[in-house]
Amino acid sequence: MSSSIIENSSAQCQSEYDPLRHVLLCPPRYMEIKDVINDVQKRYKDENINVDKALHQHNAFIQALKDQGIHTDLIEPSEKYPEQVFTRDIGFTLGSAVFISEMASEIRQGEEQELQKWMEAHEISFKQLAGHRIEGGDVIIDRDTVFVGVSSRTSKKAIRDLQLELPDFEVIPIPFNEKYLHLDCVFNVLSPTEALIFPEALDMATVQMLAERYTLIRVNEQEQFALGTNVLSIGDRKVFSQPQNHQVNKQLTARGFHVIEVDFSEIIKSGGAFRCCTMPLIRL
């Protein structure tokens, strides 16, 4: 793994649930299902994406973030990258370091360079991971612990190298059924003591390990397919979720979370929701 570093960092992230202050998104202007890379896309390939509707939903989400006092920045989309809306996958912030991923799917390769150009233009420090595949949707942080999904998109070698880069963190590999694309589609930490999970995607030993750390809020198969696990926590027990995922929202509300409902039904057709579409730069 090689690293390139730009100085003058303005990034900080220690969890998935501290108050979100600064986040990076990308409008779905050229969103399209071209190469099917997950099960959700298989369902919607023939129907494909209504770009106008996706843009409307994405704009509504950005406005809702702004209404919560969150600073939003946008990467200019390129027609070469139909999956670019999912900014979480191309980078992730751990501690005071922003890591630029290395994308596994050919359809997404090149998005990394677009993120690098944006980071350089805004003088934000980053480390560029090269030589081993790793995607941000597989990386979940909780204080000094980093859970990393093991899949064809994130290699065991990359996970070992990430541990070397982060000696102050405990990096825990999490094997899961990769047909669900990324770890954050089946597991998502909401607070120091609570997490959403679709247990059918993980082995029993992994679920038990996670159950010893968190109260696990189970997502059913139907709502997992609708990306019910892929919510976005913004701090103070506020969570963005889709109105269609009634059971997830009911469970979160019962546990004292304030659920902010935004329709993302067009964007989820490509296999990602709120967490996938947001790359946190600062959580404090």
Side-chain angles (χ1 to χ4, degrees), residues 8-256:
N8 302 321
S9 173
S10 57
Q12 185 65 36
C13 185
Q14 296 287 348
S15 80
E16 302 292 334
Y17 48 80
D18 284 326
L20 183 60
R21 307 297 189 193
H22 188 187
V23 66
L24 185 61
L25 305 96
C26 182
R29 192 172 302 140
Y30 304 106
M31 192 176 184
E32 181 183 359
I33 301 173
K34 282 189 174 181
D35 296 344
V36 174
I37 59 174
N38 61 63
D39 274 9
V40 178
Q41 289 183 346
K42 288 179 186 177
R43 169 82 65 87
Y44 293 109
K45 185 177 190 324
D46 292 337
E47 181 180 338
N48 222 294
I49 307 295
N50 181 322
V51 171
D52 288 340
K53 187 175 181 180
L55 281 167
H56 176 76
Q57 292 180 350
H58 196 262
N59 286 337
F61 176 44
I62 291 172
Q63 186 58 54
L65 289 167
K66 290 179 178 179
D67 290 344
Q68 294 296 321
I70 299 166
H71 178 67
T72 60
D73 265 318
L74 303 178
I75 292 180
E76 183 65 26
S78 167
E79 58 186 323
K80 295 187 291 185
Y81 306 120
E83 306 277 344
Q84 200 177 2
V85 66
F86 301 125
T87 54
R88 175 80 65 150
D89 297 333
I90 57 175
F92 49 94
T93 306
L94 297 175
S96 59
V98 176
F99 290 84
I100 295 182
S101 305
E102 179 168 314
M103 306 304 291
S105 300
E106 186 175 349
I107 193 75
R108 302 202 62 181
Q109 290 170 4
E111 292 181 38
E112 308 98 322
Q113 284 70 47
E114 297 300 311
L115 175 58
Q116 179 177 331
K117 286 188 289 187
W118 188 92
M119 299 287 284
E120 290 171 339
H122 290 78
E123 297 185 333
I124 298 175
S125 68
F126 66 86
K127 295 185 178 184
Q128 188 171 16
L129 307 182
H132 307 290
R133 294 186 304 272
I134 186 167
E135 297 189 3
D138 283 328
V139 180
I140 294 175
I141 181 173
D142 188 2
R143 302 299 179 216
D144 58 358
T145 302
V146 183
F147 302 102
V148 187
V150 181
S151 68
S152 61
R153 298 169 184 85
T154 296
S155 70
K156 291 181 179 179
K157 181 64 166 63
I159 296 173
R160 289 195 295 269
D161 286 352
L162 187 63
Q163 177 68 86
L164 294 175
E165 291 274 351
L166 300 169
D168 295 330
F169 291 83
E170 178 188 14
V171 178
I172 301 177
I174 302 288
F176 69 101
N177 186 335
E178 66 175 59
K179 82 171 189 175
Y180 297 105
L181 189 63
H182 290 123
L183 181 61
D184 65 4
C185 295
V186 297
F187 173 68
N188 195 353
V189 175
L190 301 175
S191 78
T193 58
E194 298 152 299
L196 285 168
I197 193 167
F198 178 63
E200 289 84 346
L202 301 103
D203 60 50
M204 190 177 302
T206 299
V207 173
Q208 181 59 40
M209 180 271 290
L210 294 172
E212 292 172 359
R213 292 172 175 255
Y214 303 100
T215 297
L216 297 178
I217 304 167
R218 297 193 171 218
V219 177
N220 64 39
E221 185 175 8
Q222 179 182 354
E223 294 195 349
Q224 186 285 321
F225 188 81
L227 281 300
T229 312
N230 200 255
V231 302
L232 176 70
S233 298
I234 62 169
D236 301 320
R237 298 185 75 78
K238 296 178 182 179
V239 178
F240 277 92
S241 183
Q242 296 181 88
Q244 296 90 339
N245 291 326
H246 304 291
Q247 292 304 313
V248 167
N249 296 347
K250 183 178 179 180
Q251 290 187 84
L252 293 179
T253 301
R255 299 194 66 85

